[in-house]
Amino acid sequence: MDRRKIAPIGVFDSGVGGLTVAREIIRQLPNENIIYFGDTARVPYGSKSQDSIIRFSEQIIRFLQTKQVKAIVIACNTASALALDTVQKEFDIPILGVVVPGARAAVEATVNGKVGVAGTDATVRSQMYTKIIQKMNPEITVIEKACPLFVPLVEEGFKEHQVTREIIDYYLKSLKDTEIDTMILGCTHYPLLRSKIRTYMGEKIQIVNPAYETAMDLRDLLEMQGMANDGSAANGVCEFYVSDAAEKFNEFANSVMPFDIMSTRVIQIENY
């Protein structure tokens, strides 16, 4: 039995948002085992400096390596935008981010060449989506919009609250008033507001969820490198770790994941 086939995939995020990526990986690659880490002690990443985000990502990758993962998905747009290049050079393990798959899907989806991106402050400041999309197709115009309150609204359970509809209007009105025909949900928390955002933006605008695209890229990578779990041995096992507040994480995760999470362990991430 090739050990690499049954080795888990490491998935990490600043908190609970990356669960939307984990959920998509479970849907598309049901045989794979997953180790998820949410950096709940240091969330949100969107307001942190690039140096901090690189350091956090390095610590988390070192932790995931102790779990013998075969590949790592940075299920966080901010860390994908600001740390991916650095950690890919630093670690001898396949590491994927969510920005490139999302950008590529938007390039393929747009008809009129005008793409909107809703993201955190750090992702928008980095202009990573604009750079990657324009590298793929210089003709495309990209309009990025920071929506910093979306993450706390999701994490505090305000998804269904009237205030969320008002904040969506406050942030996205300027994007809605442009000619974009495609919009990227440039933060892994945002798919949890997807139906509200879709209703607000209207049917004419295609919404791109990078989580799905990332799961597809991961599948291709595992197959290409002969590491895909064929299901003949230990498969479909998920473990969850956080840096703080495991109970709150569990409660939220159970509302997002397709199964109940029995336990989440807290680890001292600063030790890695």
Side-chain angles (χ1 to χ4, degrees):
M1 181 70 199
D2 185 346
R3 292 289 311 159
R4 290 193 319 166
K5 289 194 170 180
I6 57 169
I9 313 274
V11 179
F12 79 86
D13 178 52
S14 58
V16 297
L19 290 168
T20 60
V21 179
R23 178 175 70 183
E24 212 50 68
I25 293 170
I26 289 162
R27 275 183 192 147
Q28 309 303 333
L29 292 80
N31 289 334
E32 297 299 340
N33 302 306
I34 291 175
I35 308 276
Y36 182 93
F37 177 79
D39 199 359
T40 45
R42 303 185 292 202
V43 69
Y45 279 10
S47 52
K48 307 281 192 298
S49 70
Q50 180 166 13
D51 286 349
S52 293
I53 289 164
I54 289 171
R55 184 169 59 85
F56 297 168
S57 300
E58 289 166 343
Q59 289 172 339
I60 296 164
I61 291 166
R62 286 194 285 270
F63 161 68
L64 290 171
Q65 284 184 311
T66 68
K67 300 290 175 192
Q68 274 74 55
V69 296
K70 62 186 172 187
I72 290 173
V73 175
I74 303 183
C76 169
N77 283 264
T78 304
S80 296
L82 301 180
L84 181 65
D85 287 351
T86 305
V87 296
Q88 278 179 331
K89 291 185 189 100
E90 214 174 301
F91 294 94
D92 186 22
I93 182 172
I95 304 175
L96 300 180
V98 288
V99 173
V100 172
R104 196 180 53 241
V107 169
E108 288 166 5
T110 184
V111 177
N112 71 1
K114 293 182 172 61
V115 172
V117 180
T120 64
D121 277 333
T123 300
V124 169
R125 264 201 318 274
S126 75
Q127 292 196 299
M128 193 56 78
Y129 272 105
T130 300
K131 289 171 192 160
I132 289 169
I133 287 171
Q134 290 182 338
K135 200 184 276 182
M136 293 174 182
N137 182 346
E139 301 295 301
I140 293 177
T141 303
V142 185
I143 304 164
E144 301 202 37
K145 177 69 185 170
C147 308
L149 285 175
F150 283 1
V151 170
L153 284 170
V154 166
E155 298 223 338
E156 296 305 322
F158 277 83
K159 241 173 19 183
E160 300 306 325
H161 200 284
Q162 174 60 29
V163 72
T164 299
R165 283 189 282 278
E166 288 166 15
I167 299 286
I168 287 172
D169 175 56
Y170 175 74
Y171 285 141
L172 298 184
K173 184 164 187 355
S174 59
L175 272 184
K176 194 179 179 176
D177 291 344
T178 65
E179 292 174 4
I180 62 164
D181 69 352
T182 304
M183 186 174 103
I184 300 171
L185 300 177
C187 170
T188 50
H189 285 71
Y190 298 1
L192 298 168
L193 299 173
R194 183 182 182 160
S195 60
K196 303 244 179 326
I197 291 171
R198 174 178 284 294
T199 302
Y200 179 75
M201 295 302 283
E203 289 303 308
K204 289 199 279 289
I205 293 173
Q206 288 212 59
I207 306 282
V208 172
N209 176 6
Y212 171 78
E213 310 300 334
T214 303
M216 295 290 102
D217 276 23
L218 176 64
R219 187 186 66 186
D220 294 347
L221 171 92
L222 296 177
E223 283 173 2
M224 208 168 62
Q225 299 202 4
M227 295 195 294
N229 192 332
D230 57 13
S232 58
N235 66 322
V237 178
C238 298
E239 290 176 26
F240 297 87
Y241 297 86
V242 290
S243 47
D244 194 23
E247 254 170 60
K248 190 175 174 189
F249 174 87
N250 257 11
E251 203 176 301
F252 191 92
N254 285 333
S255 72
V256 174
M257 299 304 278
F259 51 79
D260 278 349
I261 294 167
M262 292 314 169
S263 76
T264 298
R265 277 171 274 185
V266 177
I267 57 149
Q268 299 300 319
I269 196 65
E270 297 278 3
N271 296 342
Y272 289 88

